[in-house]
Amino acid sequence: MPLIETDRPSGTVLLHAGPTAYALRVDTGAGTVRTLHWGGPLTLADAVAAFEPDAEGNSFHSPLDGTEELAVDGQVRFAPPALDVRYADGTGSVEPVVDGYAVQEDAEGAELTVSLRDTGRPLGWRLHYRVHRDRAVIERWTELRHTGGHGEQPLTLVRHAAAQWNLPVLPEYRAGSVHGRWISEFQLRRTPLSVGETTWSSRRGHTGHQGNPWVTLDGGGATEESGEVWTVALATSGSWRTTVVRSAEGRCSVLTGSGHEGVELALAPGETWTTPVSAGQYGAGGFGGASRGWHAYTRATVLPAADELRPVLYNSWEATAFGVTFDNQRDLADLAAGIGAELFVVDDGWFGARDSDRAGLGDWTARPGVFPDGLRPLADHVHGLGMRFGLWVEPEMVNPDSELFRARPEWVLHLPDRTAHTLRNQLVLDFSRPEVAEWALEWLVRTVDAFDVDFLKWDFNRSFTEAGSTGGLTDARRVFVEHALGTQRVLDRLRAARPALRIEACSGGGGRVDLASLARTDQAWVSDNTDAVDRLAIQHGFSQVYPAQVMGAWVTDSPNPFTRRSVPLGFRFHSAMAGVLGVGGDLTRWSADELDEAAAFVARYKAVRETVQHGDQYRLGSPGDVSHAVQYVARDGAESVVLQWRVGPTGGVPVPRLRLRGLDPGAVYHVDDDSGTLPAGVVRTGAALAAHGLAAELPAGEYASRMLTVRREV
Ligand code: GLA
């Protein structure tokens, strides 16, 4: 069966997205493209027959509101538009004409393009839809083109959403999203949607710690395990805006695109603007099913090297901060190799005059007094220990106290007659300027080559303020979108130039995690908060959309340097083993016993990491529960790993049994518990593990945790 079916006479288009269906009707007569269905499977005949009579009209109502694939501002429409245009004479109010649609199918998927234009005005736009074989995720984006000839005036895209997603009418809606701040990212919240417009946005030029560009909607009754869920994510790393409109009439739509409110784009004659991709997914398997859908999509379609196992890394930031020297990094590298780390990352402080955050950013040469021979000797030492060598960089930033700023003050984002405030003593370089991008690419490639670098931690440590571009952009605010695109181009070219290089996305922790960033990086630093307990809530929110194989997590010292909480080493490891395990403590202060214990945990992680990183993930409860766990099931079904935590004492409250998911009911499984709480030699059928589960009691006391390994009998 084709992935996209059409019925030309009725203008019906049906997209088969995995086990789900999306249908729309292209009405050339009326000049409309309207949503028919987004939900469970339909046949083409069902879609052709799908018909929803417009509600009884009156002079205060638009039947189009909340039903169009990309509503414009114009004609009889009152809902917030996805596309709002202003021409040079001040007119907006678009009158769309539908020129037609086309479908193309290839080996991986199929694409639908619907072409529209404004009546008598020089704007054309195309709605793009892409479905991938066996995936519920549908990718959508819009191309907007000024079709006027030379000498015509530019037009302004006031609002330029990538897509409008319309849900079926439900009695109630609930919206799930993450919010947070530095050291407390990805806090999950689900709240009933009130009538009106609910907007999540970044006005910061980067994805932000305060929110993340995705939203999940349900009718209020979905659970982790079951229920209908509609979810939408935007692949952008600059400013963004997602608005969920719940109309007074009872409809619900999601409008999502790059640029916060007020970021308008001028289009010159002949110019085309392509929005970022907005990906959407319907499923009936609850929030857990939606997350597994996102994880599978990210693996199959987004990540550049999805099949590689991520190495166990050591990062020296919490151990040595800005005080890096050859000797202290060598000592840490020796210890890191001893516990089984596979990648050693030298963090901030290795370059320029960087002995604090006050100077040196922009001067990407090894610190003269500290590394007189560059970093090659250290890289050689690390490689000699059998580890890969990684380096921290922050290419988009500059300290005013730097050689670069003294030479190129005009390269920073600024508005000519406004103050350029520093944050963390730094300013942002304008990556929308080609010469800045060229400069960055040149020194990045040079540094990777000179120091034999295998891995970069690419950081971004301040939000934009007073941002404008002196690089010729027509609208100063456009840089809130264009800077991130410039950065992406540098990342793409860097990867193409050095294909073996691997990159970690970081922005003061998790300030730049999104599908656009993950399309050109290999993993993400999720938070500067390395407290193993706080991290559980952060990881819970992160996992809603992003897979464990990109979720960097370090075991650091106890008490934790930020929170001062003391947590046993086992709990710290179990918390970090839920993603891409790393170690970030000052190993020179760990006792021989702690180093031995750490080595044992690292070995245990390596034995199961394929399942953790590439398996299907099931959240068993949430961090608000007395005890909760995350389960991973290997893709071949042979192994499952459960990481379970309990922070406080139970106070006698019984802990719900761990009922495992995703196992073969007829198979027999052997269960191993690394805390020794379960007796050795537990053998159960998959059916029993699902129906009755395992006793969830953990060792007594605070901060109890364990890893269960569940292996199918052969
Ligand atoms: C950011 C990162 C940290 C560390 C510091 C270095 O805060 O998130 O992990 O790299 O910068 O300055």
Side-chain angles (χ1 to χ4, degrees):
M1 183 179 59
L3 288 176
I4 301 180
E5 294 183 276
T6 59
D7 176 69
R8 290 273 164 190
S10 65
T12 305
V13 184
L14 174 62
L15 287 75
H16 298 285
T20 77
Y22 191 99
L24 48 105
R25 182 151 301 148
V26 182
D27 188 335
T28 37
T32 57
V33 186
R34 296 173 78 177
T35 314
L36 290 174
H37 174 79
W38 184 22
L42 284 190
T43 64
L44 183 62
D46 291 333
V48 171
F51 167 69
E52 205 183 315
D54 287 330
E56 197 182 319
N58 63 62
S59 58
F60 302 100
H61 173 75
S62 165
L64 296 175
D65 284 349
T67 71
E68 290 181 288
E69 291 287 288
L70 197 84
V72 298
D73 179 71
Q75 298 172 316
V76 182
R77 292 177 178 87
F78 306 107
L83 174 59
D84 190 2
V85 182
R86 194 173 55 238
Y87 295 102
D89 63 0
T91 305
S93 200
V94 171
E95 300 195 355
V97 176
V98 181
D99 281 330
Y101 61 91
V103 174
Q104 264 192 323
E105 188 131 0
D106 54 46
E108 282 90 48
E111 210 167 298
L112 163 71
T113 311
V114 187
S115 302
L116 298 102
R117 66 188 149 84
D118 192 4
T119 307
R121 295 278 184 161
L123 176 68
W125 66 102
R126 284 189 180 160
L127 313 179
H128 291 272
Y129 300 76
R130 180 157 182 88
V131 284
H132 301 269
R133 217 163 282 288
D134 305 323
R135 301 247 164 273
V137 171
I138 301 169
E139 292 173 326
R140 294 182 54 189
W141 67 100
T142 304
E143 248 182 307
L144 297 129
R145 185 170 173 80
H146 189 317
T147 52
H150 212 62
E152 271 199 60
Q153 297 286 325
L155 60 84
T156 305
L157 301 174
V158 178
R159 194 158 182 169
H160 36 87
Q164 170 173 341
W165 300 88
N166 302 313
L167 272 70
V169 174
L170 301 175
E172 289 299 333
Y173 295 95
R174 177 171 57 170
S177 62
V178 287
H179 65 98
R181 56 191 164 82
W182 178 69
I183 67 168
S184 182
E185 299 87 336
F186 300 106
Q187 304 297 313
L188 178 65
R189 189 171 284 187
R190 294 196 181 105
T191 45
L193 197 64
S194 42
V195 170
E197 297 169 47
T198 308
T199 294
W200 295 266
S201 169
S202 158
R203 309 170 57 85
R204 296 160 177 270
H206 65 117
T207 324
H209 301 74
Q210 286 67 23
N212 201 264
W214 61 263
V215 64
T216 290
L217 292 150
D218 75 297
T223 66
E224 184 65 24
E225 311 290 334
S226 67
E228 293 193 298
V229 169
W230 293 261
T231 169
V232 168
L234 183 70
T236 189
S237 299
S239 280
W240 54 274
R241 178 169 41 159
T242 297
T243 299
V244 181
V245 185
R246 183 177 176 197
S247 74
E249 286 88 3
R251 291 197 182 275
C252 181
S253 317
V254 183
L255 312 181
T256 183
S258 61
H260 57 266
E261 175 225 334
V263 175
E264 301 182 345
L265 304 175
L267 269 193
E271 202 183 336
T272 299
W273 168 259
T274 305
T275 69
V277 167
S278 167
Q281 186 197 170
Y282 161 83
F287 302 118
S291 295
R292 284 185 291 284
W294 283 128
H295 299 168
Y297 164 72
T298 306
R299 265 200 304 268
T301 311
V302 179
L303 288 174
D307 291 336
E308 281 178 17
L309 289 176
R310 275 38 174 173
V312 175
L313 71 75
Y314 177 84
N315 179 298
S316 62
W317 171 242
E318 288 195 14
T320 48
F322 294 102
V324 292
T325 63
F326 176 84
D327 288 354
N328 65 23
Q329 300 304 294
R330 179 203 52 212
D331 293 351
L332 286 167
D334 291 347
L335 292 164
I339 61 169
E342 299 158 307
L343 163 65
F344 183 84
V345 184
V346 178
D347 210 278
D348 202 347
W350 60 267
F351 53 90
R354 189 76 170 169
D355 57 1
S356 74
D357 63 15
R358 284 184 294 278
L361 273 180
D363 300 339
W364 299 102
T365 48
R367 262 175 86 187
V370 181
F371 296 103
D373 304 318
L375 283 125
R376 191 60 181 245
L378 182 58
D380 289 347
H381 183 77
V382 167
H383 286 139
L385 292 165
M387 294 188 290
R388 288 188 244 174
F389 182 63
L391 215 48
W392 180 94
V393 292
E394 195 178 5
E396 298 149 90
M397 299 288 167
V398 64
N399 287 121
D401 185 2
S402 66
E403 299 303 325
L404 178 71
F405 185 75
R406 284 185 277 275
R408 298 278 185 207
E410 74 282 7
W411 276 9
V412 300
L413 294 182
H414 69 285
L415 294 164
D417 61 341
R418 301 291 179 193
T419 310
H421 281 99
T422 55
L423 292 171
R424 208 193 193 214
N425 306 301
Q426 63 197 55
L427 296 165
V428 187
L429 292 170
D430 181 356
F431 266 48
S432 74
R433 291 176 66 139
E435 67 274 34
V436 179
E438 290 305 326
W439 162 83
L441 185 65
E442 190 278 323
W443 75 255
L444 282 160
V445 172
R446 182 161 36 82
T447 305
V448 165
D449 290 349
F451 302 150
D452 209 359
V453 175
D454 306 298
F455 179 94
L456 290 175
K457 175 179 175 183
W458 182 303
D459 211 339
F460 179 95
N461 271 317
R462 63 156 293 174
S463 299
F464 292 11
T465 60
E466 301 122 333
S469 175
T470 49
L473 294 180
T474 35
D475 181 334
R477 276 191 246 185
R478 188 164 173 156
V479 83
F480 281 89
V481 173
E482 296 281 0
H483 172 92
L485 297 176
T487 303
Q488 287 172 17
R489 287 191 291 271
V490 173
L491 280 160
D492 290 342
R493 291 172 63 194
L494 177 60
R495 290 193 83 106
R498 295 294 174 268
L501 183 71
R502 294 293 171 262
I503 301 174
E504 177 173 49
C506 175
S507 169
R512 196 155 64 184
V513 180
D514 54 75
L515 295 174
S517 164
L518 292 178
R520 35 195 61 86
T521 57
D522 302 287
Q523 59 194 74
W525 183 227
V526 177
S527 179
D528 279 345
N529 184 345
T530 57
D531 179 311
V533 174
D534 288 352
R535 206 62 185 221
L536 295 177
I538 293 171
Q539 294 179 172
H540 183 74
F542 185 92
S543 75
Q544 301 296 317
V545 171
Y546 306 115
Q549 81 182 100
V550 302
M551 190 176 79
W554 308 341
V555 176
T556 57
D557 296 337
S558 180
N560 183 272
F562 281 106
T563 63
R564 309 307 304 164
R565 190 184 343 235
S566 295
V567 175
L569 193 62
F571 192 106
R572 281 178 275 150
F573 263 99
H574 286 142
S575 172
M577 285 159 75
V580 179
L581 176 66
V583 177
D586 184 355
L587 296 180
T588 62
R589 294 191 299 143
W590 289 22
S591 69
D593 284 351
E594 284 174 317
L595 290 170
D596 285 348
E597 207 185 331
F601 274 112
V602 170
R604 219 172 290 163
Y605 175 75
K606 286 179 184 169
V608 298
R609 81 171 132 187
E610 174 136 25
T611 301
V612 171
Q613 294 186 9
H614 294 168
D616 290 329
Q617 190 180 134
Y618 296 86
R619 292 179 293 256
L620 310 180
S622 67
D625 300 338
V626 182
S627 164
H628 81 288
V630 180
Q631 184 195 352
Y632 308 81
V633 181
R635 272 188 263 171
D636 67 2
E639 180 181 80
S640 180
V641 172
V642 181
L643 290 157
Q644 189 196 349
W645 309 273
R646 198 198 65 232
V647 174
T650 60
V653 176
V655 183
R657 293 177 70 85
L658 280 176
R659 293 171 59 183
L660 304 190
R661 310 282 321 281
L663 302 182
D664 173 357
V668 172
Y669 294 88
H670 294 248
V671 184
D672 175 70
D673 176 348
D674 76 347
S675 74
T677 322
L678 280 181
V682 170
V683 179
R684 297 276 189 283
T685 61
L689 289 169
H692 184 60
L694 292 165
E697 304 307 334
L698 289 166
E702 294 184 307
Y703 307 124
S705 64
R706 68 176 168 187
M707 179 173 86
L708 302 174
T709 317
V710 181
R711 291 208 175 86
R712 193 174 56 196
E713 194 171 273
V714 279

